[in-house]
Amino acid sequence: MGKPESKISPAEILGEFESLSVKEQEEILELAVQGVNLKLIYKRMEEDPQGQEAVNALRRLGANTVISILDFIPGVGLLASGSADALKIKWLRKILNLGLKHLKVQVEDLTPDVSKKIAYLTELLEIPFFGTAPTHFVETTIQTARDIPRLKRGLKAYKRLKEEERKKYEKFGPVIREAKNKFK
Amino acid sequence: MDKRQALKILIEYSNILAEDFKRKLIEDVADMSDEEVDSFGKFLAKELDIEDETYENDMRKIDEALEVIEGQMEKREEIEKEE
């Protein structure tokens, strides 16, 4: 009986890996390790209440930063910051989320800790400046200040999750070390 | 522990290989040539060394980031107190 067709040859998997320099091999492996670890921890962060809170805060920070930058461009900025303010309206978010349901995308209030009053009053500043004032910066600053404690809790959760993952690995540390030493 | 057993352990604890792929590889270890066992073992041993280094670096970066955030929070509290 011949070898099964689906047999995976290590030579195929390693491919040209061995022809690379040691430095290049390490760089590729480092990227792979970091990518896999990040994916794993991100998944666990989303399952952890404090982790999820921090992930949401980070998403908000990213979106608000982009909007604040766009806000410096006349016209585009008004549209971007106006859209962000419109997302503060609950019923509008509900309608948008119904429409986006099939895309598995959800829109959220990007500045939940900023009152509608502040958001809309800052938008009024656009009138004397003909829509060129970068007003979203105010909301971004207030929201970021409120999100800092969430980011701190999230980082602590991230550390805890990484330590938990490490403990699972270290339980078998001596066996793994012995196995590694066979190839050194 | 011989090299084939060692390779099986390294495959099992590798993070970059998918679970179903790991199972297939462990089944195939017996059919691998000595050269293949050696090159695969070196590859996975290197991966696990990098895992160790990455963990240490990540933990250091987290602690540094926590220090920065705590510093910012303290500054804010001081400003709020002064106000």
Side-chain angles (χ1 to χ4, degrees):
Chain A
M1 202 163 73
K3 284 181 180 178
E5 273 180 47
S6 60
K7 184 182 181 300
I8 303 156
S9 152
E12 271 176 55
I13 298 151
L14 293 174
E16 290 176 19
F17 190 80
E18 287 189 314
S19 65
L20 299 170
S21 70
V22 176
K23 198 177 172 242
E24 284 170 328
Q25 287 181 0
E26 279 174 357
E27 279 171 0
I28 289 172
L29 269 175
E30 212 175 301
L31 275 176
V33 166
Q34 282 173 348
V36 170
N37 282 345
L38 200 65
K39 197 178 160 192
L40 180 80
I41 293 292
Y42 184 79
K43 199 178 157 227
R44 294 211 51 203
M45 283 282 276
E46 290 241 289
E47 291 160 0
D48 183 277
Q50 288 183 332
Q52 198 179 34
E53 194 184 49
V55 169
N56 289 339
L58 260 184
R59 281 187 193 142
R60 272 197 297 269
L61 180 62
N64 282 321
T65 306
V66 171
I67 294 169
S68 296
I69 293 167
L70 286 176
D71 215 8
F72 280 94
I73 308 168
V76 178
L78 185 62
L79 187 70
S81 67
S83 304
D85 290 340
L87 288 178
K88 295 193 80 61
I89 304 166
K90 207 175 173 183
W91 60 263
L92 185 66
R93 283 203 308 273
K94 270 189 182 174
I95 292 173
L96 284 170
N97 283 332
L98 270 176
L100 292 168
K101 206 176 173 184
H102 67 287
L103 291 174
K104 290 182 181 172
V105 177
Q106 273 221 318
V107 290
E108 288 164 23
D109 181 358
L110 295 175
T111 51
D113 296 305
V114 179
S115 69
K116 279 183 189 165
K117 205 165 119 187
I118 291 175
Y120 301 148
L121 278 175
T122 53
E123 220 54 38
L124 283 178
L125 283 174
E126 298 278 9
I127 299 168
F129 291 97
F130 304 103
T132 57
T135 55
H136 196 72
F137 184 74
V138 177
E139 288 118 288
T140 302
T141 309
I142 298 170
Q143 188 57 51
T144 306
R146 296 280 181 274
D147 278 338
I148 285 177
R150 293 181 185 121
L151 290 171
K152 184 188 161 188
R153 286 195 292 272
L155 257 181
K156 282 189 172 173
Y158 181 77
K159 191 177 174 183
R160 173 172 43 82
L161 293 171
K162 275 196 86 80
E163 280 168 346
E164 279 172 19
E165 284 296 321
R166 187 69 183 175
K167 267 181 201 159
K168 279 188 215 166
Y169 171 85
E170 275 176 352
K171 208 171 150 188
F172 304 98
V175 184
I176 297 168
R177 268 191 291 278
E178 196 188 336
K180 275 200 298 189
N181 287 336
K182 288 276 168 192
F183 298 100
K184 283 181 178 170
Chain B
M1 184 192 293
D2 66 20
K3 278 194 169 182
R4 284 175 201 272
Q5 282 173 312
L7 179 58
K8 282 183 186 176
I9 290 167
L10 295 183
I11 292 171
E12 201 177 325
Y13 290 100
S14 164
N15 268 337
I16 60 170
L17 302 177
E19 288 305 314
D20 50 349
F21 187 56
K22 280 185 187 181
R23 281 195 296 275
K24 181 86 192 73
L25 271 178
I26 288 172
E27 281 172 20
D28 289 346
V29 167
D31 293 334
M32 288 180 191
S33 68
D34 287 347
E35 203 182 42
E36 286 175 332
V37 169
D38 215 47
S39 61
F40 225 112
K42 278 182 184 160
F43 171 79
L44 292 176
K46 199 175 274 179
E47 182 223 318
L48 292 171
D49 279 343
I50 289 172
E51 287 277 357
D52 293 344
E53 283 170 28
T54 306
Y55 176 79
E56 299 300 333
N57 284 340
D58 283 357
M59 292 312 256
R60 204 176 47 243
K61 281 180 198 162
I62 293 170
D63 288 336
E64 282 169 8
L66 274 171
E67 259 178 51
V68 171
I69 290 180
E70 273 161 10
Q72 288 293 324
M73 285 173 77
E74 275 170 25
K75 267 187 199 169
R76 224 184 115 213
E77 273 168 25
E78 277 171 25
I79 293 168
E80 278 172 7
K81 268 182 199 169
E82 280 172 17
E83 282 172 355

